[in-house]
Amino acid sequence: MHYDGCDVTWQAMLTRQDEYEGGGTYFRSLRKTIRLKQGQVLVHPGELYHKGIDITYGVRCLLVCFTDGMDCKLTDDSRQEDDDPKYESNVLVCG
């Protein structure tokens, strides 16, 4: 049982449910285990106590992200007068 110590934790399920048995994330405060389907994302406060349930067969892959937003030290120096509709057609396709 642990907590992540961040503001928000994100878990994205990468594996199909038929590729493993067991698993899930147990939350003490809910008294429940959450099991995600492939493509689903679980977002929760990083201060919640939770634990990963053992995998009994196969492999479960998650993409996990820890986010702090109180003072991310990022600044946006853009200005409204710099807006130009032609910039909206600059598209980056990720894949």
Side-chain angles (χ1 to χ4, degrees):
M1 189 74 61
H2 68 277
Y3 66 93
D4 298 326
C6 60
D7 291 340
V8 178
T9 299
W10 309 71
Q11 300 178 34
M13 177 55 69
L14 304 177
T15 309
R16 290 189 328 264
Q17 285 183 324
D18 64 352
E19 295 183 57
Y20 67 96
E21 291 178 10
T25 304
Y26 173 78
F27 287 90
R28 179 186 287 161
S29 61
L30 297 176
R31 296 186 177 114
K32 293 186 187 278
T33 297
I34 306 298
R35 290 193 179 123
L36 301 175
K37 294 179 182 176
Q38 186 180 36
Q40 291 181 323
V41 176
L42 174 63
V43 180
H44 65 86
E47 296 297 323
L48 289 181
Y49 276 93
H50 62 282
K51 68 176 183 174
I53 302 299
D54 290 340
I55 303 300
T56 58
Y57 168 80
V59 176
R60 176 181 77 153
C61 296
L62 293 167
L63 176 64
V64 181
C65 178
F66 306 103
T67 307
D68 285 317
M70 299 303 281
D71 184 8
C72 63
K73 303 200 183 336
L74 294 175
T75 59
D76 184 345
D77 297 325
S78 63
R79 298 173 303 194
Q80 185 175 2
E81 57 266 19
D82 294 331
D83 287 348
D84 189 321
K86 69 181 178 190
Y87 296 142
E88 295 176 18
S89 63
N90 292 334
V91 178
L92 172 63
V93 177
C94 301

